[in-house]
Amino acid sequence: MMDSMDEKTTVGVTPWAGCVVVFLQSVSPSVNLLSIYKDPNGKFSVFKVLKLTLSDVIGYEGYEILKLHDADPALGVELKFTAMSPCRRFLESYACGLLRQALHQHSSRLLVRPEDVNIQMQLKAATHTLDHCLNDLECCLTYISTSQPVRLRDDEITQLEQALELSYACQTLRIKEVPNNCFLFQERVFGDRQLTPADQQRFAAHIGRDWKRVGRTLQKGCRALKGSAIDNLAYEYEREGLYEQAYQLLGRFIQSEGRNAKLGRIIGALEENKLTTIAEIMLDIKPKD
């Protein structure tokens, strides 16, 4: 039986490889992805978003990021594939929208607010625009395989890869060091405890229109908030206003989760939605002068 050419090669046969460039351009007036990447404070976050997105749709093997290009107004992401299978998975996820969905998810968590994420994408292999032939993946694979890498991985990418690995190692170490009855927020350890009526009131008084976003994060681990529960709360208490809607949300969470309705879960949900100021209020952290 002959080995599949997707993954294996025989003596004298060149391994399958190819390059493709994804161009990402923000269309939201308040967000410029290229500018965020050019900012030293944003470069690592953009790279992390790209790595998480690719690992979600492809996995971890058979490809690498070679370089990030300034293709003003777009950010160009040059990818090298060393096997056909991951390249095919990439094309399929691009064609069906899974790649865009993963990019949106990670961007809204690490870069900007969800409502500000609106990114246009274009895919090219050398001079061929693959968006025009996505209904023929074999044709796309042929174009990609004829676009061979002409450079090694950029030094900047190597440095970002090392920084990402180090951040994961430090994060794992910090998690191991935090006791079970505590949680980590902004590099500080806080004692965890059950939510109180005072917490409920403080949350409702400060969360405003963002209560729904926090609710959708909490619903991942709370059965009482799944399905249409959050929309039903919004409709039921619309006349009472945002305070009451937020108050009832946390009330449902506390009632459903019982002893597991912990402060750390609320802080985690706030942090995931970039609502760190509200988290600081919940923890009574005084602003620095």
Side-chain angles (χ1 to χ4, degrees), residues 4 14 24 41 48 52 64 66 97 109 123 126 151 154 193 198 203 214 220 242 247-248 268 277 285:
S4 167
T14 303
L24 308 173
N41 295 322
K48 185 174 182 179
L52 291 171
E64 64 174 325
L66 289 182
R109 186 168 61 88
L123 192 61
R151 62 167 59 86
D154 192 71
R193 58 173 174 76
F203 176 84
V214 176
K220 298 173 187 176
L242 295 173
Y247 187 88
Q248 293 296 330
T277 300
I285 297 175

Side-chain angles (χ1 to χ4, degrees), residues 185-237:
F185 175 70
Q186 294 182 339
E187 307 296 326
R188 292 174 56 185
V189 176
F190 292 85
D192 209 356
R193 58 173 174 76
Q194 286 183 251
L195 292 166
T196 65
D199 294 322
Q200 192 176 357
Q201 293 166 8
R202 184 176 291 186
F203 176 84
H206 293 92
I207 194 64
R209 296 184 181 277
D210 291 315
W211 73 270
K212 270 191 175 184
R213 288 170 53 199
V214 176
R216 298 203 188 285
T217 300
L218 292 173
Q219 75 177 175
K220 298 173 187 176
C222 178
R223 184 175 298 178
L225 298 179
K226 291 188 180 297
S228 60
I230 293 174
D231 291 330
N232 291 342
L233 276 175
Y235 177 78
E236 187 176 351
Y237 295 97

Side-chain angles (χ1 to χ4, degrees), residues 56 100-110 117 220:
D56 280 356
R100 183 187 297 275
Q101 181 180 340
L103 182 64
H104 183 284
Q105 175 188 344
H106 293 300
S107 296
S108 61
R109 186 168 61 88
L110 296 174
V117 179
K220 298 173 187 176

Side-chain angles (χ1 to χ4, degrees), residues 37 43 47 50-51 64-69 76-78 151-165:
Y37 180 73
K43 188 182 295 289
F47 183 74
L50 295 173
K51 290 287 290 187
E64 64 174 325
I65 298 175
L66 289 182
K67 185 175 178 61
L68 296 181
H69 297 272
V77 184
E78 184 176 352
R151 62 167 59 86
L152 298 174
R153 186 168 67 178
D154 192 71
D155 288 342
E156 182 178 66
I157 299 300
T158 299
Q159 294 169 6
L160 288 168
E161 290 276 12
Q162 292 171 348
L164 187 59
E165 291 178 8

Side-chain angles (χ1 to χ4, degrees), residues 49-120:
V49 165
L50 295 173
K51 290 287 290 187
L52 291 171
T53 298
L54 291 170
S55 64
D56 280 356
V57 299
I58 307 175
Y60 296 94
E61 298 181 347
Y63 69 95
E64 64 174 325
I65 298 175
L66 289 182
K67 185 175 178 61
L68 296 181
H69 297 272
D70 178 354
D72 195 9
L75 174 67
V77 184
E78 184 176 352
L79 299 172
K80 172 188 174 182
F81 290 95
T82 56
M84 189 183 293
S85 292
C87 187
R88 187 185 297 275
R89 289 196 298 272
F90 170 80
L91 287 170
E92 289 171 346
S93 67
Y94 183 93
C96 73
L98 282 178
L99 182 70
R100 183 187 297 275
Q101 181 180 340
L103 182 64
H104 183 284
Q105 175 188 344
H106 293 300
S107 296
S108 61
R109 186 168 61 88
L110 296 174
L111 296 178
V112 295
R113 294 164 64 96
E115 57 267 29
D116 292 331
V117 179
N118 189 359
I119 298 174
Q120 288 183 343

